[in-house]
Amino acid sequence: MQICKTLEELKSQIQFYKANRRSIGFVPTMGALHDGHLSLCKAAKNENDVLIVSIFVNPIQFTQENDLIHYPRTEENDIRLLSSIDCDLLFMPTVEVMYPIKQDIIVGFGILEQQLEGKYRPGHFNGVGIVVSKLFHLVQPDKAYFGQKDLQQFLIIRKLVEQLNFPVQLVCCPIARDLDGLALSSRNARIKEEHRAEASLIYQSLLYAAELIKGNSLTEIKKAVMKYFAPTTSLQLEYFEIVDSRTLLPVSELSLPNELAICVACTLGQVRLIDNMLIKI
Ligand code: AMP
């Protein structure tokens, strides 16, 4: 596996791949890799000649300094994991390489970024839009792989690609989960031992709501879910929303679309966790 830390190294390798007509599958990450990331990498490896992974903890998408400072970094282990799955190239730039001058371009995503995560993390999707645009220009992938785990992020990137004509095909991969259903996340490493059991409630609440969707009103479902979380002491619910899975707009009883997403965000101790489930009715 080749490791590139500078733009020059990356550029010359991309030129080589392009000259040799190798198709590029790209998985952008922030590192602290887990099986969720690896499932994206495996899909990319299977469907392309070359697998490129980036690891970059993107400061401009963090809305809380503390979250950025404590974001897990496990460089050595990440390199080992990526080598073990035959990743061809790892792009691991520093902040100075990605942002040599102050980054002040703003990208907006209209009403899509005002929902869910956007409400709680203002400016987050601007940071995502900027870094993904830069990475797409640098890596020039044929296909790029993202996780359904960050559903709103996927929809934001799809909008970016469609409206700015990036010549890349996007692939949305299923959510990889722990044995008890907790969606894998780099942030899970920060969950305290004594809180870990409660974390499984997040996925269970999605299953519960999905079951209630047949035969109950949205208000009843939300009430039932709130009750479900009530006895927990460490888990603080931030939002629990049933939305149209294409727009992420809240749905009403009267205009239920046939594709819904149940989306949840909460904090467990100091750790913010999100999850979702897609439902066809
Ligand atoms: P991150 O390193 O958290 O920025 O994630 C990099 C990519 O991996 C994003 O496209 C995420 O949606 C995806 N991802 C993160 N967790 C999971 C998971 N549990 N299952 C599938 N994909 C995931």
Side-chain angles (χ1 to χ4, degrees):
M1 179 174 74
Q2 179 158 8
I3 300 180
C4 297
K5 295 195 172 180
T6 66
L7 300 189
E8 292 67 31
E9 287 170 301
L10 178 67
K11 271 182 197 160
S12 87
Q13 200 53 40
I14 298 295
Q15 269 169 9
F16 172 80
Y17 293 141
K18 295 286 172 190
N20 287 279
R21 299 189 179 282
R22 306 262 187 89
S23 65
I24 298 176
F26 178 44
V27 181
T29 81
M30 297 204 297
L33 301 181
H34 51 66
D35 283 348
H37 296 115
L38 296 185
S39 69
L40 271 55
C41 293
K42 284 173 191 160
K45 183 83 192 167
N46 278 340
E47 296 173 10
N48 301 276
D49 299 327
V50 168
L51 166 62
I52 300 183
V53 175
S54 64
I55 295 182
F56 178 60
V57 181
N58 177 33
I60 66 167
Q61 74 183 67
F62 282 77
T63 50
Q64 297 207 332
E65 189 68 14
N66 220 24
D67 191 23
L68 174 61
I69 292 168
H70 292 111
Y71 198 83
R73 293 163 204 251
T74 58
E75 202 173 285
E76 262 178 43
N77 193 49
D78 291 350
I79 292 174
R80 195 182 51 75
L81 282 173
L82 291 174
S83 303
S84 76
I85 58 156
D86 283 334
C87 173
D88 298 278
L89 190 155
L90 168 60
F91 178 47
M92 224 170 26
T94 59
V95 174
E96 292 69 30
V97 165
M98 285 301 274
Y99 302 120
I101 50 169
K102 187 178 157 32
Q103 178 64 61
D104 55 6
I105 289 179
I106 304 286
V107 285
F109 298 93
I111 202 154
L112 181 58
E113 73 172 317
Q114 288 155 26
Q115 314 306 314
L116 307 174
E117 289 298 285
K119 270 190 208 162
Y120 291 84
R121 307 178 72 193
H124 168 66
F125 289 119
N126 173 61
V128 170
I130 295 286
V131 79
V132 170
S133 300
K134 287 178 77 109
L135 289 169
F136 280 178
H137 284 308
L138 294 166
V139 173
Q140 301 172 49
D142 296 276
K143 288 186 173 186
Y145 296 76
F146 294 88
Q148 183 204 311
K149 158 86 178 6
D150 300 283
L151 178 63
Q152 191 169 12
Q153 171 173 280
F154 179 76
L155 298 178
I156 289 274
I157 293 166
R158 191 165 72 185
K159 192 166 184 164
L160 184 83
V161 163
E162 281 173 4
Q163 295 198 10
L164 295 183
N165 303 92
F166 280 93
V168 57
Q169 189 184 327
L170 297 180
V171 182
C172 187
C173 299
I175 303 176
R177 299 182 177 281
D178 227 327
L179 288 178
D180 65 348
L182 177 66
L184 296 181
S185 163
S186 306
R187 290 187 173 86
N188 292 359
R190 295 185 50 221
I191 300 175
K192 287 191 179 148
E193 184 78 34
E194 65 262 34
H195 292 160
R196 181 58 190 81
E198 270 185 43
S200 65
L201 283 179
I202 303 168
Y203 180 55
Q204 285 166 27
S205 74
L206 293 175
L207 291 174
Y208 182 48
E211 216 175 274
L212 293 178
I213 276 180
K214 303 156 208 130
N216 290 282
S217 73
L218 295 176
T219 325
E220 282 166 344
I221 299 170
K222 272 198 155 186
K223 257 193 197 159
V225 171
M226 295 305 154
K227 270 196 194 154
Y228 193 81
F229 280 110
T232 66
T233 46
S234 342
L235 202 100
Q236 300 289 324
L237 193 60
E238 217 165 65
Y239 63 74
F240 189 96
E241 299 289 348
I242 300 174
V243 297
D244 183 320
S245 66
R246 291 152 303 178
T247 60
L248 302 186
L249 292 175
V251 293
S252 81
E253 246 41 273
L254 297 174
S255 60
L256 270 188
N258 49 17
E259 294 193 16
L260 298 171
I262 312 176
C263 300
V264 58
C266 51
T267 50
L268 183 57
Q270 299 289 310
V271 190
R272 190 168 185 282
L273 300 167
I274 59 170
D275 201 350
N276 69 80
M277 186 178 278
L278 297 174
I279 310 271
K280 282 196 184 207
I281 52 174

